[in-house]
Amino acid sequence: MPKKINTTKLFKRLILVTLLGMVVGLFVFNRFVKRYGYDGALDFITNYYHNKQLANEVEVLNMKISMSEKDYDFLSDKRDEALERGVQINVGDNYVDCDVEVDGEKSKGTIRLKGHMTDHLEGDKWSFRVKTDEPILGMYRFSLQHPGTRNYIYEWTYHQLLAHEGIIHLNYDFLNVELNDKDLGIYAMEEHFGQHVLEHNNRPKGAILRWNPNLYWEWRIDELHHIYLDEEYSAYSSSFAEPYDRGTVKDDEELLQNYQKGASQLEAFRRGDKITSEVFDVELMARFHAIIDLVGGYHSLDWSDVKFYYNNETELIEPVGYESFSVRKSERIAGQRLPDDYGKVDEDYHNQLFSDPVFFKAYIKALERICDEAYFNEFIASISTQFDQKMGILSKEFAYRKFPFDPYFENIDLIRHNLELPKPFHAFTQKWDDSTAYFELAPVTDFPIELVKIEIDGKEKVSLEGIILPAKARNTFATYFPLKVNHHSKKVKNCVITAKIPGSKNEFEIVVEEYSSYQTVMDLDEFLTPKTSIEEHPKIVFNAYDSIYFFDEMDISIQEEYELTNGKLRLLPGQKITFSNNGSFTFNNSKLESFGANENEVLLIGENKGETISAFNSELDFKNTNFVEMKNTLYIVNSTTSINHCSVADVQSNFIQSLNSEIVVVDSYFGNVKQFGLLDRSSLTMSNVQSKKGDTFLHSDGSIVKMNSCNIQEHKKVFELDHLAINKAWNIKLNENEQIGYLNNSSECHFYGGDLGNADVGFEVADAKNNYASILNIYKSKQDQVKKLKI
């Protein structure tokens, strides 16, 4: 007899399995929606129905685009070609004819594919650039693309922020698109650059400019094909300023002149002939970069993406807002300069822009105002009606997407935290007497720091207004800058320095340590001794037109300690400067130009203990100059020195002794020089340098040295590295030296190629057994003849 089925029990089991399936499904769904920014399933359902309600309340414009089948096939082939290549580059005329109609407006026009990266060409929603004969929704030039390409509603919000701050922005909207009667769904419509942009931004007629990026994108094609070439043609310095809509600009004399003026200003800025505040509208540029920080839109700050407009009325260049790809996390802000060297801007648009203290101060002020919760809440309230309307249009197709304002507020918190530095610099007492105190300050942040005052022993307050420390150079050790303070206190103790980021309302208090980080190898008393003004030399002449001092005879005797402050001295081809009886030059905040010529060099010679050329916060520039029989030649502190095509012979002590300075030596020769350099926390770059006969060629304390194609012969020791010094040498040649190197206190020495020669002793690494071991790296360098290698 068949077994009777217990339907009640079966029904209960089915219910249990169903409930279990629902629980598992809900769990999986819950985890899935959290990946898209939802708190959970309930949040998703609530948001979805809210979006659908918004969608039901709006009318969506429909754009109809039609073209011939032949032209459609042409675009399709171009798409396939770009997908195969990995990037799209429009070379030549890639436009085809089309007809455009929207909301009763009709026009003939042309259309092509747009976008460099292939995300613009995936699926059915290709991106297009359209040009029309008649205005369509107020535009003659516009782009059509998937709303997700610019992150949906967030790009529209970005342009509303720009408009809120009076910055040139683009019309940005959403509508439905049909192509040859095929419904492609909701697209983002983005205004392209032309006079219509300036008209709705209430700007006078002018050209919109950019740095031509074509060669940069050729380089990117190589990268996409895993061909990594460091090519100069792809650099910012190799580009040129060009106008959008070249044909219109070329045929309009007023636009052509505007473009030429703007391009000329940009070129002067790029070459360093003019600074940011001389070329750009400082206030608008400051607001623009503060908004970029708020939305995390750093993609648009790359030199290949920035857009400009030259305003004929103000004669200044303004930013033009474009593709922020926001909102993204702001892990650093636009004003954080990231150079690798102090005081150098290099060929970098971003670093060059923010190196102007006038602009940087305005930027920080704008940043604190705009990246503020109260400001952004007010902004949200001002756009709420429009925001809901745009969300309604997007929700016709993307109702499942969530677009909260939370990321903006998270960026505001991050930016505030970024500006609230735990400590902007280290400070140490160097020495002091009854009237003067000397301190060392070492920046440790990406921001320049403005000193406000110093308080001594809780009683005396001394203003430090006007003193600004530079941002710390990335990938370098901390550099120490001197601070001299006149005081009336009985004892310099319990010192506190008040400082701030320029333009900021927030101040820091830094307690000064009562000891230096480590003893300097230089005696700063050399720079503190009163000297005779160079103006008192009987043979000195001042050229008021060029603001330059020079000697009016070819044979000059220096028998006193002469000093030049806030000026420039130029030595001329063929001049002979003889130092005797402790005669010397000292430069304070000044510049020395010793410019000889081939076969007509400047000669600097020492007699009877002839001494030095000293520099403090100054610049020394030697070209075709010969140094002969000097006892101590160059003392430099917080200065730069360039030595190019020079010869040095018979120096009895150090040719260069430096502190916190930058030295470049190129195509120069040294013979019988006891010691080329004694460097303290400095940087040295040498190329094509030869040195023969001497004691220790180079002693480096906490300094960074880079050498290329140098030949060092017959020295007792080539390198002596201490206190975290780093030495890197490419293709160096060493011959007949007694010892190559000595490394101590976590120093590093790296050789790449070259010939290390036949020294009696190779390298001695003094501290290899402790926790602060130095590093020696020899890579593809000939070293077979080194008789002894101590490590």
Side-chain angles (χ1 to χ4, degrees):
M1 218 180 140
K3 189 175 180 181
K4 187 176 181 181
I5 298 174
N6 189 331
T7 56
T8 303
K9 185 182 289 188
L10 180 61
F11 181 69
K12 288 180 179 180
R13 287 179 177 176
L14 286 173
I15 292 176
L16 184 61
V17 170
T18 301
L19 290 174
L20 182 61
M22 291 176 63
V23 169
V24 172
L26 183 61
F27 175 77
V28 173
F29 182 70
N30 206 56
R31 293 192 62 179
F32 176 77
V33 297
K34 282 184 176 180
R35 292 165 53 189
Y36 293 92
Y38 291 96
D39 297 333
L42 181 61
D43 186 29
F44 173 83
I45 294 169
T46 302
N47 183 81
Y48 180 82
Y49 280 102
H50 173 71
N51 287 346
K52 292 298 287 184
Q53 184 177 357
L54 291 176
N56 292 332
E57 295 173 356
V58 298
E59 293 282 338
V60 181
L61 291 177
N62 187 57
M63 175 178 287
K64 293 184 177 182
I65 303 173
S66 57
M67 65 182 69
S68 69
E69 184 176 346
K70 177 182 177 182
D71 287 338
Y72 179 85
D73 290 341
F74 174 83
L75 295 183
S76 182
D77 290 342
K78 286 293 180 182
R79 171 185 178 259
D80 293 341
E81 179 183 310
L83 289 173
E84 176 67 25
R85 176 190 268 174
V87 68
Q88 180 179 205
I89 294 183
N90 286 295
V91 179
D93 187 7
N94 291 313
Y95 283 92
V96 297
D97 293 332
C98 69
D99 293 304
V100 182
E101 179 181 355
V102 59
D103 197 28
E105 298 179 347
K106 296 181 181 181
S107 178
K108 291 191 174 296
T110 55
I111 186 172
R112 68 164 171 82
L113 300 176
K114 77 160 289 265
H116 289 296
M117 306 311 293
T118 55
D119 62 324
H120 285 273
L121 305 174
E122 293 170 356
D124 292 330
K125 281 184 183 287
W126 308 347
S127 295
F128 302 103
R129 174 71 46 74
V130 183
K131 299 190 293 187
T132 58
D133 298 335
E134 302 297 327
I136 297 293
L137 301 179
M139 294 173 261
Y140 293 88
R141 307 282 185 272
F142 54 87
S143 299
L144 297 169
Q145 54 210 351
H146 190 298
T149 302
R150 299 276 197 272
N151 206 5
Y152 301 93
I153 193 71
Y154 289 135
E155 183 74 5
W156 176 85
T157 305
Y158 164 67
H159 283 286
Q160 298 309 301
L161 275 165
L162 295 174
H164 193 68
E165 287 295 326
I167 298 165
I168 297 176
H169 62 285
L170 306 179
N171 280 324
Y172 194 88
D173 213 337
F174 306 102
L175 75 174
N176 197 76
V177 173
E178 292 180 16
L179 177 61
N180 285 354
D181 296 324
K182 180 180 180 180
D183 192 340
L184 300 181
I186 300 299
Y187 266 68
M189 182 181 186
E190 180 183 62
E191 184 176 24
H192 194 52
F193 305 107
Q195 291 306 299
H196 45 89
V197 174
L198 302 177
E199 289 169 6
H200 78 72
N201 279 279
N202 298 315
R203 296 300 199 277
K205 185 177 180 180
I208 294 176
L209 304 93
R210 68 171 178 178
W211 296 110
N212 179 282
N214 291 350
L215 291 176
Y216 167 80
W217 283 104
E218 291 284 354
W219 174 71
R220 285 294 303 274
I221 291 175
D222 283 342
E223 276 200 336
L224 290 169
H225 287 87
H226 306 291
I227 302 172
Y228 299 100
L229 300 175
D230 184 9
E231 256 298 351
E232 186 63 21
Y233 62 68
S234 66
Y236 161 65
S237 58
S238 299
S239 186
F240 60 92
E242 66 174 357
Y244 276 94
D245 207 359
R246 285 169 174 257
T248 302
V249 171
K250 183 181 68 174
D251 295 336
D252 188 311
E253 185 63 30
E254 184 180 353
L255 284 178
L256 182 60
Q257 289 183 5
N258 177 275
Y259 153 66
Q260 290 172 334
K261 288 178 182 178
S264 176
Q265 289 287 73
L266 286 173
E267 188 62 27
F269 167 77
R270 181 169 65 166
R271 293 179 180 273
D273 298 332
K274 291 186 177 182
I275 59 177
T276 306
S277 54
E278 295 176 311
V279 173
F280 296 94
D281 188 307
V282 165
E283 183 58 33
L284 291 178
M285 288 292 283
R287 297 178 196 173
F288 170 73
H289 284 86
I291 290 173
I292 289 293
D293 288 326
L294 175 60
V295 305
Y298 302 110
H299 171 89
S300 61
L301 295 186
D302 186 81
W303 71 266
S304 63
D305 278 307
V306 289
K307 309 295 184 290
F308 308 104
Y309 158 70
Y310 179 74
N311 190 321
N312 269 329
E313 294 181 355
T314 64
E315 297 184 340
L316 295 170
I317 289 174
E318 300 180 24
V320 178
Y322 175 62
E323 57 175 25
S324 73
F325 293 93
S326 60
V327 61
R328 296 185 181 184
K329 188 177 181 180
S330 289
E331 294 181 338
R332 64 180 177 88
I333 61 174
Q336 287 179 259
R337 291 186 59 209
L338 305 177
D340 288 335
D341 295 300
Y342 279 96
K344 289 188 70 175
V345 175
D346 301 316
E347 296 170 349
D348 183 280
Y349 166 75
H350 177 83
N351 289 341
Q352 196 172 3
L353 194 73
F354 282 89
S355 65
D356 181 353
V358 174
F359 171 64
F360 187 88
K361 191 171 184 178
Y363 158 73
I364 292 295
K365 187 176 180 181
L367 185 68
E368 291 185 345
R369 177 178 64 83
I370 291 172
C371 297
D372 176 80
E373 289 182 359
Y375 172 94
F376 197 68
N377 277 321
E378 180 184 340
F379 169 73
I380 291 172
S382 71
I383 65 167
S384 60
T385 301
Q386 284 182 290
F387 186 88
D388 285 347
Q389 184 207 20
K390 305 307 174 187
M391 277 298 303
I393 298 173
L394 284 170
S395 297
K396 295 285 187 180
E397 185 174 344
F398 307 103
Y400 58 90
R401 300 299 302 238
K402 183 180 181 181
F403 301 105
F405 289 114
D406 295 11
Y408 297 102
F409 289 102
E410 290 168 3
N411 279 348
I412 287 171
D413 287 339
L414 286 170
I415 291 165
R416 183 188 298 117
H417 187 76
N418 201 346
L419 295 176
E420 293 172 353
L421 304 171
K423 188 178 184 182
F425 56 84
H426 302 309
F428 303 94
T429 302
Q430 178 87 339
K431 60 183 179 179
W432 58 277
D433 55 33
D434 292 340
S435 61
T436 310
Y438 299 92
F439 303 93
E440 283 187 329
L441 310 183
V444 294
T445 81
D446 289 329
F447 303 103
I449 300 295
E450 180 181 349
L451 305 186
V452 178
K453 63 182 178 182
I454 183 170
E455 186 175 289
I456 302 174
D457 203 19
K459 300 172 184 177
E460 184 179 6
K461 296 179 181 179
V462 181
S463 173
L464 302 177
E465 185 177 353
I467 300 176
I468 295 180
L469 294 175
K472 180 185 182 296
R474 285 290 178 104
N475 304 316
T476 64
F477 299 114
T479 296
Y480 293 79
F481 294 87
L483 174 65
K484 177 181 176 182
V485 176
N486 296 322
H487 69 93
H488 302 92
S489 300
K490 292 183 179 180
K491 188 175 182 180
V492 177
K493 63 178 183 178
N494 301 324
C495 298
V496 177
I497 297 176
T498 301
K500 63 180 181 178
I501 298 173
S504 175
K505 296 177 291 186
N506 303 316
E507 293 186 343
F508 308 98
E509 289 189 347
I510 299 90
V511 177
V512 180
E513 304 290 341
E514 294 186 358
Y515 51 87
S516 293
S517 58
Y518 65 87
Q519 183 63 41
T520 175
V521 299
M522 294 190 67
D523 182 7
L524 291 180
D525 287 338
E526 169 71 22
F527 301 97
L528 307 177
T529 305
K531 299 173 178 62
T532 304
S533 171
I534 203 168
E535 295 176 340
E536 298 183 24
H537 192 283
K539 302 300 182 182
I540 202 71
V541 175
F542 181 68
N543 183 331
Y545 180 79
D546 292 324
S547 298
I548 293 177
Y549 290 94
F550 63 93
F551 294 107
D552 62 357
E553 293 186 2
M554 299 304 290
D555 198 345
I556 301 298
S557 177
I558 304 298
Q559 301 185 33
E560 297 182 42
E561 296 181 329
Y562 288 102
E563 182 175 41
L564 177 61
T565 302
N566 298 321
K568 181 190 290 186
L569 172 65
R570 179 174 293 168
L571 305 182
L572 306 176
Q575 282 191 323
K576 175 183 176 183
I577 312 297
T578 302
F579 298 89
S580 60
N581 299 324
N582 295 316
S584 67
F585 286 150
T586 296
F587 296 89
N588 288 300
N589 298 302
S590 297
K591 182 174 183 180
L592 168 64
E593 294 179 345
S594 178
F595 290 170
N598 290 332
E599 300 183 3
N600 196 20
E601 296 91 347
V602 173
L603 176 60
L604 305 178
I605 188 167
E607 289 182 357
N608 302 323
K609 298 183 180 180
E611 284 288 343
T612 63
I613 296 173
S614 304
F616 187 81
N617 292 323
S618 295
E619 182 178 347
L620 306 180
D621 194 353
F622 300 98
K623 292 183 178 70
N624 293 299
T625 299
N626 294 334
F627 303 81
V628 180
E629 296 181 352
M630 307 287 283
K631 181 181 179 183
N632 295 299
T633 310
L634 304 177
Y635 279 81
I636 57 175
V637 176
N638 300 315
S639 298
T640 62
T641 297
S642 174
I643 299 169
N644 196 332
H645 284 87
C646 295
S647 296
V648 182
D650 300 327
V651 174
Q652 303 171 38
S653 184
N654 296 294
F655 174 65
I656 292 180
Q657 194 168 349
S658 72
L659 172 63
N660 294 335
S661 294
E662 182 180 326
I663 305 153
V664 177
V665 186
V666 179
D667 297 327
S668 296
Y669 302 87
F670 298 82
N672 195 26
V673 175
K674 184 173 182 180
Q675 181 163 289
F676 163 79
L678 180 58
L679 310 183
D680 187 352
R681 289 162 282 180
S682 298
S683 71
L684 167 66
T685 302
M686 306 184 79
S687 180
N688 296 316
V689 170
Q690 296 186 35
S691 179
K692 188 172 183 178
K693 293 185 179 181
D695 288 348
T696 298
F697 176 73
L698 181 65
H699 180 100
S700 174
D701 261 354
S703 299
I704 297 178
V705 177
K706 298 178 181 178
M707 306 176 68
N708 183 40
S709 301
C710 296
N711 189 341
I712 314 298
Q713 304 177 43
E714 298 180 35
H715 284 71
K716 291 182 179 178
K717 189 183 296 180
V718 181
F719 305 112
E720 193 166 274
L721 309 180
D722 209 343
H723 292 109
L724 302 166
I726 298 177
N727 185 70
K728 296 184 178 181
W730 292 265
N731 299 316
I732 193 170
K733 188 175 182 180
L734 308 178
N735 284 314
E736 306 299 331
N737 300 294
E738 293 182 20
Q739 181 174 347
I740 298 178
Y742 173 84
L743 284 72
N744 192 27
N745 289 322
S746 303
S747 295
E748 299 180 22
C749 194
H750 305 270
F751 291 90
Y752 307 96
D755 187 348
L756 302 188
N758 57 350
D760 293 333
V761 177
F763 300 88
E764 186 174 355
V765 182
D767 54 354
K769 294 181 180 180
N770 63 30
N771 293 327
Y772 303 96
S774 296
I775 297 172
L776 174 64
N777 173 34
I778 302 174
Y779 182 72
K780 291 187 177 180
S781 298
K782 185 179 179 182
Q783 53 178 317
D784 301 337
Q785 300 177 52
V786 177
K787 297 177 182 177
K788 190 175 182 182
L789 186 65
K790 285 187 179 180
I791 298 181

